[in-house]
Amino acid sequence: MAWGLLTLTGLFGGFTLADAPATHIQEVGLERFEPLHANRQLHLTNATAHLREKQVAGWPLTLRLGLVAQHARGEITQLTDTLSEQTLHSPGHGLGISAEARWRVRSGFHLDASAAPMLYDRRFPAGGTHYNGMFQAGPSITWQMGPGRWTLGARWLHISNGRGLGPDNPSTEGRGLVLRYQLPL
């Protein structure tokens, strides 16, 4: 969460990390994640919209702010308080504010990392809480096509409520692909 707060501060505070003014952008995206662990068979789809970005002076770093909506389906298997395994159906829908840092490695190639506090319509994953943090990281390529700009990326994702290990924090991890389109203003 500290990364997300730092990015939000850089975008909207007078924080010296990002002294250029934030600019409006119109970028929409779709993200699809498959589970990494056999006991967390959650399939996630995210719809994203990035609305603001800010270039960090003197660095190849851009801070971005957006919204994310998530649909989850699947099930998890976890230990209960009595140390027996239990399989729980774990669908859910979540909404969050996403703070992303984009490090430009070279023209058209960058590394992205994001954090989003999420609010779910039920305890998610099953047995957890309504509130979670979602973290993503991975490489992306960007190219111009027609009037807009496309981004294709690979991502690792982690969702957790930060309560440590155990039945109160049924975290999940996934790997997936990201496709985004930035409209010209």
Side-chain angles (χ1 to χ4, degrees), residues 27-30 102 108-110 140-153 178-183:
E27 182 182 75
V28 293
L30 192 60
R102 174 171 280 180
F109 179 72
H110 42 86
S140 295
I141 57 171
T142 301
W143 69 96
Q144 193 78 27
M145 183 183 288
R149 186 172 68 194
W150 289 90
T151 298
L152 179 65
V178 172
L179 180 64
R180 297 176 180 167
Y181 180 71
Q182 184 170 338
L183 303 151

Side-chain angles (χ1 to χ4, degrees), residues 113-129:
S114 67
M118 299 288 291
L119 173 63
Y120 289 89
D121 64 338
R122 63 193 75 207
R123 292 166 51 108
F124 181 81
T129 62

Side-chain angles (χ1 to χ4, degrees), residues 96-107:
I97 297 174
S98 173
E100 181 179 82
R102 174 171 280 180
W103 185 273
R104 186 175 36 84
V105 177
R106 62 176 179 227
S107 181

